[in-house]
Amino acid sequence: MSTVTTESGTVTRQGGWRTLALAGGAVAVVGLLAIALPFATGVAITYVIGALLLLGGLVHAGHAFTVRGWKRSFWQGTLAAVSIVAGVVLLANPIVGLLSLTLLVIAYLLVDGIAELWLSLRMGDESGRGWIAASGALSLVLAGVLWAGFPIDALWIVGVVVGVSLLATGLSMIAVANVGRHADEPERTPGTEPRGV
């Protein structure tokens, strides 16, 4: 079975691209749904994070009783308590989680914008400097817009960010599958074309 190697991975030529295209389509549809229903998506993500924190806290609590030495036991117990409390808070009130995640998105955009602007200043006359500076400026503008609209932005920003990410992933999977589909097609030469009667 021959394969096609791309930047996103390897696609088998004998029909493997179909599975990848279907999976990419499904991921893209989920991304569109997340964008269309950003509040529900954000709440669902908050519940998942809350459940993971609660589970992690229970694991740390169990580990606290098995480790030797009071220092290790104390730190495991502290981690367990913090994780369990955070998980319960998120599960009891997912809006708190949406507010926290929105603040993380704003902080990320702020740091990313500053880092890209700083990098563009250090690049001198290199090509691409303008694009990096523009990207950094856009990140800072987005951070400012989200901060100005906080906390109302918390109702939609997490869902939209996750939806856009899923949509981009799905489309990239479809693009890779398309490369595999073209590689799967038999090559035709002018001498082998069927003749009409």
Side-chain angles (χ1 to χ4, degrees), residues 78-142:
T78 302
L79 286 173
V82 171
S83 295
I84 290 172
V85 168
V88 168
V89 167
L90 292 183
L91 292 172
N93 189 357
I95 302 301
V96 171
L98 285 177
L99 292 172
S100 302
L101 291 173
T102 302
L103 287 175
L104 285 175
V105 169
I106 293 171
Y108 168 78
L109 289 171
L110 184 63
V111 171
D112 179 63
I114 292 171
E116 288 188 321
L117 287 176
W118 179 78
L119 178 62
S120 69
L121 291 174
R122 292 186 52 95
M123 288 178 70
D125 293 333
E126 294 181 39
S127 62
R129 176 185 178 195
W131 288 106
I132 293 176
S135 175
L138 179 61
S139 293
L140 290 179
V141 168
L142 287 174

